[in-house]
């Protein structure tokens, strides 16, 4: 076996899947999906075909031409990769698999009505990055295997669905949707389920090849608002949420146009947005045609558009050009962070872009402290063999990757770098690449660059290289200066912060000492009500400071926050602050109790991250 990805059983000697056709029956009562998957291969294959699976029940595998059974086996569970599904082929170019997901699927979160905005209907959504598509359907779950797909989603008639694909039809289910051999030895009558009263089929098609982690759907009581010629904003059909989202993301079309000027044509036709319930574990997920967003990016001042800018940037870097595996994750996130800031600079101005860079710079330095005992994960090109990518997810690929590209831009000039980026995107679009291929392309197109920049230090070295660059702007410098004055006991005056929005406060708080006197915390909050901020980045930064300063007046607010949202950007620092260090028994008891009570409201990925924090520090 010659693996091509440390997180996949995919074998380089086997043909890659080019297309998957899925029939998915959603059973909300059992939090499972009963399904068939038809996998088409790039070439006929004889021998074992290796696929990834996690928490799937495989009923049978057939030759789709003859409907004869194909021998298969499912290995014991690997804690990181899941199960190795092997199918024996004899000059086959496709396989048909009958299976069901599990309620414990790591990609799926099934929400009961009380866990949704509307409180009436259930909801389910996916989060397949980094290695969770295998818990929705058996596949070669590596970014190296780009696939097109078609999907029929059979759902309750009163609900609707969206996907990272073009919607082609909504119709009644028919018996011809389901192969005759689905019934029989699988323990239930799939055909009867499929054609039952009260069901509807939503059809979707993705004709452009994408890595499996970009497969996505959401099913619930959905509504939408039009915000541009290429963009609808979806959420649950709750007018307050939809209207707030439409206001927040009204500038999306302008960002798309700026992205096209910088990086070339937008290749995905639609750029729709889906605001998910608060348990969504990330800020955003760049699923093509249907970006997923946390509701915490709706801040009321359009600043949430910066998250949209990042996900939009992925339309070129990440979705069009993809890292070959997670060892090269910076190729997705470093490029998209750079592209995001270029878009923000044009749309919102240089000061706003500098603030964005400044917050990232602080975050990068904090990651150096987090990984001080394992500096491997401060590299751009990492070695993640036997490492769960969710456990080492950090700002390093984003911010160190951005710094590397910014360093190249400073060396060769922005105009030359813009031309390089356009050529890079045009050359590798719809391909998956690694760091070595990028560096070879860089050296071929920017002769002598390796003499001016230590490329090996940047990509394979630990820590922050000496030629990384802290941003410079009047606003950034003023905020850092005011934070330094706070260390000397000086509170910022109201006239000094009158024009501040969330990002200014976030940068200010992140530049304060990690712990101050409790009286200073109380005084700062008395003036500016930061603990009550509707901007969760501000609120969480303040609460983290309060915990580190043993200011127990805010423990109730910490608990409310941990129970209100499931975004890992907030869970990780708050739980870590509660349980890290000695002499914090009260805080540790609080953390364990809150997690026990809130756990089922978190996405499975977030549950695992919090559990790993407890395992490390308790």
């Amino acid at each position: 076996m010659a693996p091509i990805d440390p997180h996949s059983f995919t074998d380089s000697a086997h043909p890659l899947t080019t297309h998957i056709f899925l029939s998915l029956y959603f059973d909300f009562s059992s939090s499972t999906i009963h399904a068939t998957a038809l996998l088409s291969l790039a070439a006929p294959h004889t021998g074992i075909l290796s696929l990834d699976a996690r928490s799937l029940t495989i009923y049978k595998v057939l030759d789709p031409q003859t409907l004869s059974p194909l021998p298969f086996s499912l290995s014991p569970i690997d804690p990181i990769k899941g199960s190795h599904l092997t199918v024996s082929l004899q000059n086959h170019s496709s396989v048909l698999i009958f299976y069901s997901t599990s309620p414990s699927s790591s990609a799926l979160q099934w929400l009961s009505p009380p866990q949704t905005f509307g409180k009436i209907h259930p909801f389910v959504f996916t989060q397949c990055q980094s290695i969770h598509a295998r818990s929705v359907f058996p596949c070669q779950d590596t970014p190296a295997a780009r696939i097109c797909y078609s999907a029929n989603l059979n759902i309750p008639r009163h609900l609707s669905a969206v996907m990272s694909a073009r919607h082609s039809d909504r119709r009644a289910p028919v018996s011809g949707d389901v192969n005759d051999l689905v019934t029989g030895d699988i323990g239930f009558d799939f055909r009867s389920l499929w054609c039952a009263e009260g069901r509807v089929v939503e059809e979707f098609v993705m004709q452009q090849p994408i890595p499996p982690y970009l497969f996505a759907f959401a099913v619930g009581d959905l509504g939408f608002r039009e915000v541009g010629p290429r963009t609808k904003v979806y959420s649950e059909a709750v007018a307050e949420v939809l209207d707030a989202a439409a206001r927040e993301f009204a500038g999306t079309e302008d960002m798309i146009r700026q992205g096209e000027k910088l990086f070339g044509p937008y290749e995905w036709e639609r750029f729709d947005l889906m605001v998910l319930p608060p348990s969504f574990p990330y800020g955003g997920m760049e699923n093509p045609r249907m970006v997923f967003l946390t509701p915490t990016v709706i801040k009321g001042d359009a600043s949430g558009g910066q998250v949209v800018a990042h996900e939009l940037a992925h339309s070129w870097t990440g979705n069009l050009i993809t890292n070959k595996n997670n060892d090269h994750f910076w190729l997705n996130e470093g490029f998209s962070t750079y592209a995001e800031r270029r878009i923000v600079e044009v749309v919102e101005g240089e000061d706003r872009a500098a603030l964005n860079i400044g917050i990232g710079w602080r975050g990068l330095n904090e990651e150096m402290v987090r990984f001080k005992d394992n500096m491997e994960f401060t590299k751009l090109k990492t070695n993640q063999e036997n490492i769960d990518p969710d456990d080492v997810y950090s700002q390093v690929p984003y911010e160190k990757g951005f710094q590397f590209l910014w360093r190249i831009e400073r060396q060769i000039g922005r105009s030359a770098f813009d031309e390089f980026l356009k050529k890079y995107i045009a050359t590798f679009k719809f391909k998956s690449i690694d760091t070595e291929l990028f560096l070879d392309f860089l050296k071929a197109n920017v002769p002598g660059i390796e003499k001016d920049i230590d490329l090996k230090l940047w990509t394979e070295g630990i820590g922050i290289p000496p030629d990384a660059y802290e941003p410079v702007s009047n606003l950034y410098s003023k905020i850092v200066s005011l934070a330094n004055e706070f260390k000397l006991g000086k509170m910022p005056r109201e006239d000094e912060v009158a024009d501040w929005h969330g990002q200014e406060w976030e940068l200010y708080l992140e530049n304060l000492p990690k712990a101050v006197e409790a009286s200073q915390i109380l005084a700062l909050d008395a003036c500016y009500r930061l603990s009550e901020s509707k901007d969760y980045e501000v609120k969480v930064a303040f609460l983290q400071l309060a915990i580190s300063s043993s200011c127990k007046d805010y423990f109730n607010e910490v608990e409310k926050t941990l129970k209100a949202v499931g975004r890992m950007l907030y869970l990780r620092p708050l739980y870590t602050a509660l349980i890290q260090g000695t002499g914090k028994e009260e805080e540790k008891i609080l953390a364990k109790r809150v997690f026990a009570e809130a756990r089922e409201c978190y996405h499975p990925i977030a549950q695992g991250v919090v559990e790993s924090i407890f395992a490390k520090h308790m």
Side-chain angles (χ1 to χ4, degrees):
M1 179 175 178
I4 58 176
D5 186 325
H7 301 120
S8 173
F9 292 108
T10 302
D11 193 317
S12 62
H14 299 173
L16 295 179
T17 306
T18 57
H19 187 276
I20 298 180
F21 176 68
L22 295 165
S23 297
L24 306 175
Y25 177 92
F26 289 74
D27 185 351
F28 280 89
S29 64
S30 64
S31 299
T32 55
I33 298 172
H34 306 303
T36 65
L38 174 62
L39 280 64
S40 300
L41 306 178
H45 182 61
T46 295
I48 293 296
L49 176 69
S50 292
L51 301 172
D52 298 301
R54 179 187 287 128
S55 304
L56 300 180
T57 300
I58 309 295
Y59 299 111
K60 51 186 170 182
V61 182
L62 302 182
D63 175 345
Q65 304 303 317
T66 65
L67 299 181
S68 57
L70 297 174
F72 73 92
S73 65
L74 203 59
S75 75
I77 298 170
D78 178 277
I80 296 172
K81 293 190 284 188
S83 295
H84 184 187
L85 173 60
T86 58
V87 182
S88 297
L89 303 182
Q90 287 291 332
N91 199 37
H92 290 95
S93 58
S94 58
V95 295
L96 180 61
I97 304 172
F98 304 102
Y99 70 97
S100 292
T101 65
S102 161
S104 62
S105 166
S106 59
L108 296 170
Q109 185 170 20
W110 299 83
L111 300 176
S112 63
Q115 294 174 298
T116 67
F117 286 121
K119 311 298 183 187
I120 298 172
H121 300 288
F123 196 98
V124 63
F125 67 90
T126 55
Q127 174 53 41
C128 290
Q129 194 179 46
S130 297
I131 54 171
H132 301 285
R134 66 194 68 181
S135 70
V136 183
F137 57 98
C139 59
Q140 294 162 319
D141 195 4
T142 168
R146 300 179 73 100
I147 55 169
C148 300
Y149 73 85
S150 304
N152 288 348
L153 278 58
N154 185 309
I155 62 176
R157 186 182 296 152
H158 59 277
L159 303 181
S160 56
V162 296
M163 289 198 82
S164 57
R166 177 174 56 83
H167 184 260
S168 56
D169 199 7
R170 178 181 170 96
R171 58 170 176 80
V174 295
S175 59
D177 293 336
V178 180
N179 188 286
D180 287 334
L181 294 183
V182 177
T183 58
D185 57 356
I186 65 174
F188 54 88
D189 187 345
F190 193 29
R191 182 184 296 279
S192 295
L193 283 175
W194 190 270
C195 297
E197 281 293 315
R199 307 291 296 190
V200 69
V201 171
E202 301 259 30
E203 293 186 2
F204 295 88
V205 178
M206 170 49 77
Q207 296 176 312
Q208 296 154 301
I210 62 170
Y213 72 80
L214 291 177
F215 176 88
F217 60 71
V219 178
D221 179 27
L222 306 181
F224 67 86
R225 297 284 188 271
E226 296 268 4
V227 296
R230 289 179 273 191
T231 305
K232 293 176 181 176
V233 176
Y234 291 81
S235 80
E236 291 179 65
V238 176
E240 180 184 357
V241 178
L242 285 166
D243 292 341
R247 289 191 296 271
E248 191 78 19
F249 308 128
T252 300
E253 178 61 24
D254 190 23
M255 289 193 291
I256 298 172
R257 289 173 180 163
Q258 293 302 330
E260 289 182 312
K261 288 179 183 177
L262 290 168
F263 311 117
Y266 179 78
E267 300 270 3
W268 305 96
E269 186 182 6
R270 299 287 305 173
F271 184 71
D272 292 326
L273 309 172
M274 174 74 208
V275 178
L276 290 168
S279 58
F280 183 57
Y282 292 100
M285 183 63 212
E286 63 270 18
N287 312 307
R289 301 182 65 102
M290 185 60 67
V291 166
F292 283 1
L293 295 168
T294 168
T296 63
V297 301
I298 302 174
K299 302 177 182 182
D301 60 2
S303 62
Q306 291 198 22
V307 173
V308 173
H310 183 87
E311 307 311 329
L312 170 64
H314 274 301
S315 301
W316 292 274
T317 55
N319 297 3
L320 267 188
I321 306 175
T322 307
N323 51 239
K324 191 174 182 179
N325 61 51
N326 224 62
D327 285 345
H328 310 277
F329 189 47
W330 79 272
L331 287 169
N332 279 16
E333 297 301 349
F335 270 93
S336 293
T337 302
Y338 175 86
E340 165 206 343
R341 287 168 181 162
R342 289 293 303 278
I343 294 169
V344 168
E345 181 181 306
V346 173
V347 175
E348 300 186 29
E350 291 184 5
D351 269 349
R352 187 61 52 187
L355 276 186
N356 190 313
I357 297 169
I359 291 169
W361 176 257
R362 291 297 309 166
L364 180 60
N365 280 272
E366 287 169 6
E367 298 289 23
M368 297 303 117
V369 176
R370 173 186 166 195
F371 290 117
K372 65 182 185 300
D373 298 324
N374 194 348
M375 294 296 281
E376 170 69 24
F377 302 110
T378 67
K379 298 177 181 178
L380 288 183
K381 179 188 171 185
T382 58
N383 178 6
Q384 294 189 22
E385 189 72 42
N386 299 317
I387 299 292
D388 188 328
D390 291 334
D391 289 345
V392 294
Y393 177 83
S394 77
Q395 292 301 302
V396 173
Y398 296 76
E399 298 300 340
K400 188 174 179 180
F402 162 79
Q403 285 283 341
F404 180 35
L405 299 174
W406 202 25
R407 174 68 184 89
I408 298 169
E409 180 207 284
R410 293 198 303 275
Q411 184 64 42
I412 68 175
R414 175 165 285 189
S415 178
F417 192 58
D418 284 353
E419 290 306 309
F420 169 82
L421 279 180
K422 287 179 180 177
K423 186 175 181 181
Y424 168 69
I425 292 167
T427 301
F428 295 112
K429 69 179 183 179
F430 296 113
K431 293 183 173 67
S432 299
I433 70 170
D434 57 21
T435 300
E436 288 72 26
L437 189 55
F438 166 73
L439 292 178
D440 288 345
F441 184 80
L442 174 66
K443 287 183 281 189
N445 286 273
V446 187
I449 189 69
E450 67 273 21
K451 297 176 184 176
D452 299 312
I453 300 174
D454 189 336
L455 303 179
K456 186 169 184 178
L457 175 66
W458 269 101
T459 56
E460 299 182 35
I462 62 172
I464 303 175
D467 50 345
Y469 192 67
E470 185 173 8
V472 174
S473 81
N474 290 336
L475 181 57
Y476 177 81
S477 299
K478 176 187 174 184
I479 293 169
V480 172
S481 175
L482 288 173
N484 289 332
E485 290 179 0
F486 185 86
K487 300 171 189 176
L488 303 175
K490 182 178 180 295
M491 190 83 66
R493 300 189 313 269
E494 287 192 23
D495 64 296
E496 291 175 313
V497 302
D499 297 328
W500 283 14
H501 297 289
Q503 279 197 315
E504 287 88 343
W505 277 112
E506 184 184 355
L507 183 64
Y508 176 80
L509 290 167
E510 289 183 355
N511 276 277
L512 296 181
K514 294 304 175 191
V516 298
E517 294 296 324
S519 59
Q520 291 178 284
I521 298 288
L522 292 165
L524 184 63
D525 197 42
C527 282
Y528 299 113
R529 302 295 182 194
L530 301 178
S531 66
E532 302 168 15
S533 176
K534 302 246 187 293
D535 187 320
Y536 270 90
E537 272 85 346
V538 175
K539 179 197 281 278
V540 170
F542 177 81
L543 293 177
Q544 190 179 359
L545 182 63
I547 296 167
S548 300
S549 304
S550 299
C551 189
K552 298 178 182 179
D553 301 64
Y554 295 99
F555 280 12
N556 284 340
E557 192 61 43
V558 170
E559 178 173 348
K560 283 169 54 181
T561 301
L562 289 171
K563 289 181 175 180
V565 296
R567 187 178 177 185
M568 293 188 294
L569 182 69
Y570 311 140
L571 302 186
R572 193 192 301 274
L574 290 180
Y575 277 113
T576 300
L578 284 171
I579 66 176
Q580 198 170 42
T582 58
K584 291 186 129 186
E585 289 312 308
E586 184 179 344
E587 287 91 332
K588 290 178 180 178
I589 291 169
L590 173 64
K592 286 194 284 188
R593 177 179 62 78
V594 169
F595 183 54
E597 294 172 2
R599 185 182 187 281
E600 291 308 310
C601 294
Y602 296 159
H603 188 279
I605 295 173
Q607 292 175 6
V609 165
V610 177
E611 285 164 355
S612 70
I613 293 171
F614 280 108
K616 181 178 180 181
H617 295 291
M618 295 292 275

